[in-house]
Amino acid sequence: MEDTRKGKSVSSAVQQRRERHKETLRSDLIAAARQLVQEEGYEGLTIRKLAKRVGYAPMSVYSYFADKQDILLALAQDRFEILARRIEENTADDPLEALRAVMAEYAAFGLGNPNEYRTVFMTEKTRPPAGMTFEELDANNPAMQALLGRVEACIAAGHLKGDPFAIATMLWSVGHGTISLLITFPFHAFGDREAYVKRMCDLALKGLSGQDVPPLSDNPGRSCRPNGT
């Protein structure tokens, strides 16, 4: 029986090492994909180039990502995690100021990394990763959850009213549209970019504060919280 326990222990340790190795290789691929995007944009991100960048055979990459869209979704998740950490570092006592900080951080990332933003957030996502739904993708998006938490705080303080997920989605839509225009039409007379982002944020918050925002669908946005509450 002791030999059996030892065998199981060795097998478990080997499995854990394999999992850690696999996760390390996946992280290397995501980092290399991010570099390709920053240097060459969407067109530069190919399985062949990615494999060459990390020194793998192309077929090895396919064992981690089924196609280019899977890579883009992984990049998006990676960026959302980094953005969420930046948001948590930028806090404020006033709920509205804390919410503005979320939008400011999102804009700072987009304007500071235009190639990456264009590739990750301005290319169509026709399906979620294997084994997930789009609802689960939202629920596991740390940046969206950070935004949702700030919206809920504003509702609790009486600054906003309505469905939190609907409000968060509308604010994201305004932020994304603003950043996309600033990136794709840099020659337009927007004036100071940071000031323009702030004005758009203030406009969105003022418009939303004057109404009771209903859910976007029959499924209330609160279901997009990781714990289902």
Side-chain angles (χ1 to χ4, degrees), residues 131-179:
M132 293 186 71
T133 64
F134 279 119
E135 289 76 17
E136 290 170 334
L137 198 61
D138 266 341
N140 288 284
N141 177 340
M144 174 57 80
Q145 296 308 317
L147 172 59
L148 194 54
R150 300 288 174 91
V151 168
E152 289 170 339
C154 284
I155 291 174
H159 297 304
L160 296 170
K161 184 178 181 182
D163 182 77
F165 183 74
I167 294 172
T169 301
M170 291 176 179
L171 290 173
W172 183 24
S173 299
V174 171
H176 174 68
T178 301
I179 297 163

Side-chain angles (χ1 to χ4, degrees), residues 79-90:
R79 293 295 87 188
F80 280 135
E81 289 172 1
I82 292 174
L83 184 59
R85 288 197 294 270
R86 287 174 55 169
I87 289 170
E88 292 306 322
E89 291 171 359
N90 194 343

Side-chain angles (χ1 to χ4, degrees), residues 61-79:
V61 178
Y62 283 113
S63 66
Y64 293 90
F65 303 106
D67 53 27
K68 188 171 180 175
Q69 183 167 160
D70 267 6
I71 298 173
L72 290 177
L73 287 167
L75 282 174
Q77 184 65 20
D78 181 64
R79 293 295 87 188

